[in-house]
Amino acid sequence: MNEEIEKQIQELQKKVNKLEKGTKDQLSMVVFSGELDKILAAMIIATGATAMDMKVKLFFTFWATASLRAPEKNVSGKNFMSKMFGIMLPKGSKKLKLSKMNMAGMGTAMMKGIMKKNKVASLEEMFVLAGELGVEINICEMSMNLMGFKKEEMIDYPHMNICGVATFLNDASESKVQLFI
Amino acid sequence: MTTEELKNINANKIVDARGTACPGPLLAAKKAIGDIESGEIMEILSADEGTKHDIPKWCEKMEHEFLGVVEEDSYSRIFLKKA
């Protein structure tokens, strides 16, 4: 009888440990979209979460990776396809467009003007702020390979890593909040 | 607390976040709260409409005591007591 109870206690202990591990005060977010408005929303949520004392881990994948390119950096030794991708995709956050009402760039320019008037931080400022606040940015290695981006051409960000989907899944599985943007 | 009581409070720290929009005031509050002791009062000035709804939620999470809001012409004064 005692053995039975002990066994049950052990099993419960295991479950409790698992639950505790599963509920870190942490936010995991997949940043997939490459448009100005969507990435800005992601960064506002990310920095806001740090104010709530949450640990924040962003997983940049597909179109979002282009937003992290540094406009002033150039790398050599790319093949033809990578060069083409490099030319066609926006080189950094300043080149991003709105997902709606871009109107050949007019809408985006107008939005930037309104943002300034309303004292909303630009995306460039948000990246700097996020870095200061300890927001982690993990970039999907496969996306980097597909688009031919190299780590050397990315912005200088204090907490940046190149990783795979398992890193995101591991982070997400122990986060209270998970988002996809 | 009533508006009159809030108006008479002498905050231990005043954070002027009127030059920023969401999430600026929240980040300013988070930064400044480290400068005061438990039980002391902080006042946040914000021109961002959302802040007066955000700060109570932030207080709830961080376990500070939200005291209330005093509306001025173009901004709000938001009061809280540090846990």
Side-chain angles (χ1 to χ4, degrees):
Chain A
M1 190 62 185
N2 264 344
E3 257 178 45
E4 185 82 355
I5 291 171
E6 235 168 63
K7 210 177 160 190
Q8 279 185 354
I9 289 175
Q10 270 178 9
E11 253 168 46
L12 280 173
Q13 191 66 50
K14 260 190 211 163
K15 279 186 186 165
V16 168
N17 287 346
K18 219 177 183 179
L19 277 176
E20 274 177 353
K21 206 183 159 209
T23 51
K24 268 193 205 168
D25 207 5
Q26 181 172 289
L27 161 69
S28 283
M29 186 155 38
V30 178
V31 188
F32 175 93
S33 312
E35 289 99 354
L36 175 69
D37 42 356
K38 294 186 184 182
I39 299 181
L40 190 66
M43 295 312 291
I44 290 173
I45 297 169
T47 49
T50 64
M52 306 288 267
D53 258 0
M54 295 175 91
K55 182 135 188 54
V56 183
K57 297 185 176 184
L58 307 179
F59 186 65
F60 273 67
T61 185
F62 270 87
W63 309 116
T65 49
S67 70
L68 296 170
R69 296 168 82 199
E72 74 282 3
K73 291 186 191 171
N74 288 303
V75 285
S76 52
K78 284 192 179 186
N79 63 28
F80 178 72
M81 281 305 280
S82 296
K83 272 184 195 157
M84 289 308 285
F85 261 115
I87 290 165
M88 284 189 297
L89 288 167
K91 195 164 183 185
S93 54
K94 277 192 176 152
K95 301 278 183 196
L96 303 184
K97 295 169 183 156
L98 285 178
S99 64
K100 288 195 167 62
M101 306 203 305
N102 179 50
M103 301 182 289
M106 266 189 339
T108 300
M110 240 147 67
M111 177 60 85
K112 282 183 181 172
I114 296 168
M115 277 168 59
K116 210 168 199 176
K117 205 175 145 210
N118 284 294
K119 293 164 184 163
V120 175
S122 70
L123 193 49
E124 296 75 42
E125 289 166 335
M126 288 306 279
F127 279 135
V128 173
L129 186 63
E132 287 167 4
L133 293 166
V135 171
E136 247 179 56
I137 293 185
N138 296 315
I139 313 176
C140 167
E141 194 198 358
M142 196 192 74
S143 299
M144 296 269 287
N145 287 341
L146 282 177
M147 292 166 193
F149 297 156
K150 295 183 176 176
K151 203 185 173 196
E152 297 78 59
E153 64 183 299
M154 295 298 172
I155 55 168
D156 296 315
Y157 188 84
H159 325 282
M160 188 188 277
N161 288 300
I162 312 278
C163 63
V165 72
T167 305
F168 164 69
L169 288 169
N170 187 44
D171 291 343
S173 69
E174 55 188 33
S175 296
K176 266 187 192 163
V177 185
Q178 302 110 7
L179 294 170
F180 183 100
I181 294 184
Chain B
M1 269 192 191
T2 65
T3 311
E4 277 311 308
E5 280 173 320
L6 287 172
K7 275 184 179 166
N8 290 323
I9 283 183
N10 266 326
N12 299 86
K13 178 144 187 108
I14 298 174
V15 184
D16 190 349
R18 284 176 291 185
T20 59
C22 177
L26 202 60
L27 292 165
K30 151 99 175 156
K31 203 173 169 190
I33 198 93
D35 299 342
I36 61 169
E37 302 294 325
S38 173
E40 290 188 332
I41 288 172
M42 188 162 88
E43 176 181 347
I44 302 144
L45 311 182
S46 174
D48 183 57
E49 272 293 304
T51 312
K52 56 176 180 259
H53 302 291
D54 271 13
I55 294 291
K57 299 278 174 197
W58 181 71
C59 286
E60 205 179 307
K61 174 108 201 294
M62 313 300 282
E63 294 172 348
H64 304 309
E65 189 189 339
F66 174 68
L67 300 175
V69 181
V70 175
E71 299 287 352
E72 298 290 339
D73 282 346
S74 59
Y75 64 97
S76 317
R77 298 166 63 193
I78 303 154
F79 294 87
L80 62 95
K81 191 189 262 180
K82 185 174 177 176

